Amino acid sequence: MNIRIAAQIAQTHLLAKKRQTLVAMLGVTFGIAMFITMISFMQGVNQFLEDSALDASPHVRMYNEVNTQRPSLIEQLNPGGFNVVYHQKPKDELARLKNGLAIADRIAKEPGVLGVSPQVATQVFYNNGPIQLSGTISGVDIERENRLYTLTSRLKSGSINALRTNPDGLIMGSTLARKLNVRTGDKVTITTPGGGTRILRVVGTFGFGVGTVDNTKSYANLSTVQEILQKDPSYITDIHIKMFDPLQALPFGRQLRAEYGYYTEDWATANQAILAGEQIRNMLTYVVSITLLVVAGFGIYNIMNMTVINKIKDIAILKATGFDGKDIVAIFLLQAMFIGLSGGLLGLGIGFSLSYLLSITPFEAGDFLSIKTFPVIFSGTYYAMGLVFGVVTTVLAGYFPSRKAAKVDPVSILRG
Amino acid sequence: MSTVLKAQHVNKYFYDPETFQVLKDITFEVQKGEFLSIVGKSGCGKSTLLYLLSTMDTDYEGAIEMAGVTLKGRNQDFLAHFRNEHLGFVFQFHFLLPEFTTLQNVMLPGLKLGKYPEKEVEDRAMEKLRLIGMAEHARKPASKLSGGQQQRVAIARALINDPTIIMGDEPTGNLDKANTENVFEIFHELADKGQTIIAVTHDPDFAAGTDRIIEMSDGSIISEHKNP
Ligand SMILES: Nc1ncnc2c1ncn2[C@@H]1O[C@H](COP(=O)(O)OP(=O)(O)OP(=O)(O)O)[C@@H](O)[C@H]1O
Ligand SMILES: [Mg+2]
């Protein structure tokens, strides 16, 4: 087999029917451009949602699950007997982590841990005149919390230093602050589940870009919240942990649970909805792209089939003058490959342009998402994938007509 | 003198629309450097025989041997290479590749053989075109040539690899007297240099000028005689 002659013949065939070649090419171009645009955008959305969820949530959260599902006392003393206890109430148990601060310090020393923030979280009502908004307050060591969530960069007003110097300070979620119609410097009254009220001063507002947080959460000093709840200074309900590698959080969480006996929740469990959405978007991207490529593939298959039929005399002559089956396959496969490759490259270019345009298109997401344009990822992998898809489709689509061409019986054609 | 072609008890059938024996017990030999003509009425099986000899039709009974190689039962790739190297063929309906130039048409089998570099194949192709008086049309697309011109280009193409045997199915069928004579001369010269020519013809003058005539009727060889 001589590739150079095959290529020369393939080139002549392609140039002889430029229009058909172009149509076949554009089919591939469209498929690949769509694929690139969709995957860049969808993965951009995935990445963005994942990032904002991961940024705003701990990699591992350790807390004490106050369990209501305990066996009744009579069940323990008389197991297997005919015991009936209706509607057993939970024990009056505190949601505290015993030795929470010491545990936090120990976890902080483990390898792979970026930061640990022990805190007291509690439900509260924010009072705005006659209206009460429910939300949460986290009592934190603001330095440590800042290390985990880079709060400084998320502050919309005020400063975290102001919280440290003001025992009654409160850094409030921006959406919540707007609902309460308070600004930095204003006072707000909160009511605890225990019924106590307290007046705190807003010293800053923050926005994570995640609705559920910005809508409900405020930060206060650890000691302040302990005091509001009338608990001692060692009272800790949650330990938030960030790792250097988020994926390490899953085994690490299990390890901590085994070690300390407290319930742990990792980011993947906490954000299952986002991860499921991600899978659906991935699926969608692949289904649409593959459908487009298959359609383009059928287009090429058709055009190559027609070419083989049109060129059947040429095939017979080539075979009669000594070209073998492999040469003939090469001639037609090269045509298909050229169509696939040039259409594919053009598709990559158009796909890039479209994703670029998308990435600079302004996108008003409101308070919930902190983005100004559509999220798009530019990654060489997608472009390589697109090209591979395109070439594989065209080679498959070109192979069968080429094989048919190689099987042409020259005598039946030349006999006239 | 050595034998370059040997056909023994060749039978060929067509099965469509009904079983029909086209060639009946064909046996003959051709010597190296011989200029042989095959004559016979239309439909007696001349073209069919030539297709068998061209190795393209492999569906027959009997044995065919060319250039010392038995051709029965060989695979298609082997036969393609054999044709490329040893056979030059001018079809009854002179087929060229319409999108290629005259020169490219002649060059293609030479490029496929790969015995000479491209430049040399081109020179040789030009030389063959000059021989049959088509040199000035070398750069024309084959689709723009007249019937007779196409036939002459097909002859040049058959010569490009200096094949052992040149076969022609009425190779001068579309040519005027002058060109027919020219081709006839070329064939004679090639035969004198040791190439073998087998030509099917309806032209009695053409046949009379060849070394030997085989006459066919209804699929059989009915007579065979040497010309003086
Ligand atoms: N594919 C085929 N199927 C069935 N019969 C065929 C086929 N090809 C040829 N024939 C028959 O075989 C016989 C011989 O055909 P062939 O083409 O060899 O004749 P020929 O001697 O070359 O005639 P001509 O001088 O007109 O070219 C004819 O009767 C023809 O009808
Ligand atoms: Mg014939």
Side-chain angles (χ1 to χ4, degrees), chain A residues 1-2 4-5 8-9 12-13 16 311 313-314 317-327 409-411 413-416, chain B residues 12 14 48 51 56-57 76-77 80-81 83-84 89 91 93 95-100 104 108-109 111-113 118 157 161:
Chain A
M1 190 176 72
N2 187 328
R4 268 199 61 203
I5 321 176
Q8 200 186 330
I9 297 173
T12 311
H13 281 174
K311 292 275 170 278
K313 267 189 179 179
D314 288 34
I317 297 163
L318 287 169
K319 290 188 110 182
T321 53
F323 286 80
D324 56 36
K326 288 191 228 86
D327 292 313
D409 170 24
V411 180
I413 309 296
L414 296 175
R415 198 175 269 134
Chain B
K12 161 89 188 164
F14 282 126
T48 308
Y51 285 125
M56 282 188 279
D57 192 346
Q76 286 298 332
D77 286 358
H81 185 256
R83 283 199 287 280
N84 191 223
F89 210 95
F91 310 104
F93 312 99
F95 292 106
L96 299 178
L97 302 178
E99 283 130 5
F100 290 79
Q104 284 174 322
L108 274 176
L111 293 174
K112 168 62 193 163
L113 186 62
E118 186 166 343
R157 182 178 62 193
N161 285 339

Side-chain angles (χ1 to χ4, degrees), chain A residues 212-291:
Chain A
T212 48
V213 176
D214 297 349
N215 231 340
T216 54
K217 189 168 179 174
S218 298
Y219 284 114
N221 283 307
L222 185 54
S223 53
T224 312
V225 181
Q226 283 165 344
E227 208 183 302
I228 299 171
L229 297 175
Q230 295 164 359
K231 296 289 186 288
D232 58 280
S234 68
Y235 182 76
I236 296 294
T237 60
D238 289 72
I239 297 176
H240 287 195
I241 303 159
K242 280 257 185 186
M243 314 282 295
F244 288 104
D245 176 7
L247 289 179
Q248 281 305 312
L250 311 173
F252 190 63
R254 284 194 290 275
Q255 181 199 323
L256 290 179
R257 177 190 252 181
E259 210 167 315
Y260 297 105
Y262 286 120
Y263 196 81
T264 58
E265 185 187 58
D266 56 52
W267 58 271
T269 321
N271 296 299
Q272 262 166 348
I274 286 177
L275 294 176
E278 196 164 300
Q279 274 171 2
I280 290 171
R281 276 186 296 275
N282 280 343
M283 194 71 176
L284 201 71
T285 307
Y286 284 105
V287 166
V288 170
S289 310
I290 287 171
T291 311

Side-chain angles (χ1 to χ4, degrees), chain B residues 178-189:
Chain B
N179 271 309
T180 305
E181 251 150 45
N182 181 31
V183 169
F184 187 76
E185 284 308 315
I186 293 167
F187 281 175
H188 258 299
E189 270 164 39

